[in-house]
Amino acid sequence: MTWSYATHYTCDGCSKVYELNVPINTCPDCGGLLETHYDLDTMKQELSPRQFAGRTTSMWRWHEFYPLRDEAHMVSLGEGGTPLIPSVYAGKKLGLSRLYFKNDALMPTGSFKDRGFSLAISFAKELGLTRGLTYSSGNAGASFAAYSRRAGFEPTVLVEYLANPLKKAIISLYGAKTATLYFDSMTEITDMLEQAVKRLGLYQFVNFINPVRHEAMKAYAYEISETLGWKAPDVMVHPIGTGGGIWGAWKGFCELAQLGWIDAVPRMVGVQPEATGPIVRAFNQGLKQAERHGDATKTIAQSIAADAPIQGGERVLRAIYDSRGFAEAVPDEAIMQAMQWLGCEGICAEPASAASLAALKQAVERGLVRSDETVVCVITGSGLKQPYAIEKSVPDSPLQLHASYEELEKLLGKVWQ
Ligand SMILES: [Zn+2]
């Protein structure tokens, strides 16, 4: 049985073709991003959705759709296969009858980044690499560190100065060497890493500059479509930092449509905080490339506070345009309200994840989503990793009592009135 149907890379910029078994990040000729291709014609003949039933529930259930050649190199903590939870609270508030949350806060290190790093580290192991470096606002670094150590790699993580101390400590807990990274704009980080590729030949793990990480995000499409009875949702709402999640999910839905496993693809909705939102700005202006915009220090949505997308965010914008989707920018107040709403669903989300629900609320108010449409909001990361934001989003209760029946009766008289 074929373990992987991946065939080659092509460059987004010059269309040149590259083999998968060489440790390259971007096109050695023009610096363009590399995209992985698959033999979809053969997949269509040899695979059917029924074959996947009974396999592992992790994202490796779909291994034919990834570029890893040998199962022996797989580094897994059981990532993926997270529940698609029907809404019991926000859906009613918004008048949506079919709202779901894809809860990736339940992943091994508490965020959706585990999908990408399980694949990227497995693939790096297959390429024979032994050490790696990435930068992170917190979640990616923790995930990168955890998978690297399991693979026997030496991980080094440059942690953005905006990351909260808990997130940095978690990265160290997973055994990475860390350094605090200061910068004025994300473009400085991208330039630094692109030069490191050119001068040191340093293999990168940053989304898109690493050519396979986002391939794992395609599993959103497979998992959600399978759960919905091999039907795609009408709308998928995804927060955007670098945009690997939304691009990967879109690629996955397109593959399923090409295979004939689903008959329609969703509208992809990208979400960013109002304080930055370069992709939203570019979308509103009808542009194919986004430029640096905003101030990343001015939002609580740390994980998506990127003020400049990788290589102009071309892929992210393409996913939004090609799917006839849209982009929404949300203020912190709306994010905090969405965190409370998600709490009433039983979901503890970090601000960046709650941003997806905040954006959906705005979209419903603007008439961009109909009440009978199937909508999936992706919860990308756990609120437990940003506890200060939770404290900020909910008022502290002034009520107190000493442990006696009389005081309890008095208290219940107040809270149950
Ligand atoms: Zn090229």
Side-chain angles (χ1 to χ4, degrees):
M1 211 180 93
T2 310
W3 176 259
S4 166
Y5 285 84
T7 51
H8 61 280
Y9 296 129
T10 56
C11 169
D12 275 9
C14 69
S15 304
K16 202 169 168 188
V17 174
Y18 294 97
E19 297 288 321
L20 295 170
N21 59 1
V22 284
I24 49 171
N25 281 116
T26 50
C27 174
D29 269 9
C30 77
L33 299 181
L34 300 179
E35 194 63 77
T36 311
H37 295 267
Y38 299 80
D39 184 356
L40 287 170
D41 290 337
T42 307
M43 289 173 89
K44 195 168 182 174
Q45 288 166 18
E46 296 184 356
L47 300 178
S48 78
R50 282 188 304 279
Q51 276 168 264
F52 295 82
R55 285 190 185 181
T56 171
T57 55
S58 86
M59 68 168 217
W60 291 98
R61 183 182 185 85
W62 317 100
H63 59 77
E64 287 92 341
F65 292 82
Y66 308 136
L68 191 75
R69 296 280 165 93
D70 184 351
E71 185 180 1
H73 298 129
M74 186 175 83
V75 185
S76 177
L77 287 161
E79 54 292 316
T82 50
L84 188 67
I85 304 170
S87 172
V88 292
Y89 183 83
K92 284 187 191 127
K93 287 265 193 192
L94 298 177
L96 298 175
S97 54
R98 287 199 290 268
L99 171 61
Y100 295 87
F101 300 102
K102 180 67 174 163
N103 191 9
D104 264 20
L106 298 177
M107 296 280 259
T109 75
S111 90
F112 77 127
K113 305 282 183 182
D114 291 344
R115 294 175 186 269
F117 282 109
S118 177
L119 176 58
I121 298 295
S122 301
F123 192 72
K125 198 176 165 187
E126 192 159 85
L127 293 173
L129 301 172
T130 55
R131 57 162 75 141
L133 170 123
T134 197
Y135 81 93
S136 173
S137 65
N139 286 337
S143 184
F144 171 72
Y147 285 90
S148 294
R149 294 303 290 199
R150 281 195 74 83
F153 278 32
E154 281 177 55
T156 300
V157 181
L158 312 177
V159 188
E160 293 177 15
Y161 72 97
L162 297 168
N164 76 58
L166 178 67
K167 281 188 173 173
K168 193 177 172 192
I170 291 172
I171 295 168
S172 299
L173 178 82
Y174 286 127
K177 293 195 176 80
T178 60
T180 305
L181 176 64
Y182 292 93
F183 56 94
D184 294 320
S185 164
M186 297 295 287
T187 49
E188 291 172 350
I189 301 176
T190 317
D191 289 349
M192 172 182 77
L193 294 176
E194 279 177 357
Q195 283 202 44
V197 173
K198 278 188 205 139
R199 295 189 193 185
L200 302 173
L202 188 71
Y203 189 75
Q204 299 283 328
F205 290 88
V206 176
N207 249 336
F208 295 138
I209 292 176
N210 182 290
V212 305
R213 222 181 102 184
H214 62 271
E215 291 298 297
M217 310 315 293
K218 297 189 303 182
Y220 275 143
Y222 316 145
E223 291 173 12
I224 292 168
S225 300
E226 186 186 42
T227 307
L228 296 175
W230 292 106
K231 220 175 151 11
D234 299 301
V235 179
M236 179 154 170
V237 190
H238 204 303
I240 299 174
T242 50
I246 194 169
W247 171 251
W250 173 239
K251 188 175 175 184
F253 284 117
C254 291
E255 285 176 349
L256 294 182
Q258 276 179 269
L259 291 173
W261 296 8
I262 55 173
D263 55 13
V265 290
R267 308 201 293 285
M268 305 301 289
V269 179
V271 185
Q272 296 195 301
E274 247 181 26
T276 52
I279 296 283
V280 183
R281 188 162 172 258
F283 174 79
N284 289 337
Q285 294 174 353
L287 302 173
K288 286 184 177 170
Q289 274 225 339
E291 285 182 358
R292 179 185 171 185
H293 178 64
D295 182 348
T297 63
K298 297 283 192 288
T299 175
I300 55 163
Q302 284 171 355
S303 307
I304 52 168
D307 64 353
I310 308 255
Q311 297 215 357
E314 275 184 41
R315 284 182 175 174
V316 179
L317 285 161
R318 221 188 307 152
I320 295 170
Y321 289 128
D322 289 355
S323 69
R324 293 180 295 111
F326 54 94
E328 287 282 322
V330 286
D332 278 7
E333 304 75 57
I335 291 174
M336 286 192 281
Q337 187 196 43
M339 285 173 75
Q340 291 181 38
W341 282 21
L342 286 167
C344 297
E345 301 273 1
I347 297 170
C348 178
E350 71 171 11
S353 305
S356 64
L357 179 57
L360 177 63
K361 181 170 182 278
Q362 280 182 195
V364 169
E365 285 163 3
R366 290 170 55 200
L368 296 171
V369 177
R370 291 196 317 272
S371 61
D372 62 339
E373 290 191 302
T374 301
V375 183
V376 174
C377 285
V378 182
I379 306 300
T380 48
S382 170
L384 299 177
K385 287 210 272 183
Q386 213 176 323
Y388 316 108
I390 295 175
E391 284 175 15
K392 210 174 151 186
S393 75
V394 285
D396 188 24
S397 166
L399 298 172
Q400 45 183 285
L401 76 162
H402 187 86
S404 75
Y405 175 75
E406 289 72 25
E407 290 209 23
L408 178 64
E409 198 184 6
K410 216 159 64 183
L411 178 84
L412 293 181
K414 284 182 200 158
V415 295
W416 285 352
Q417 61 183 262

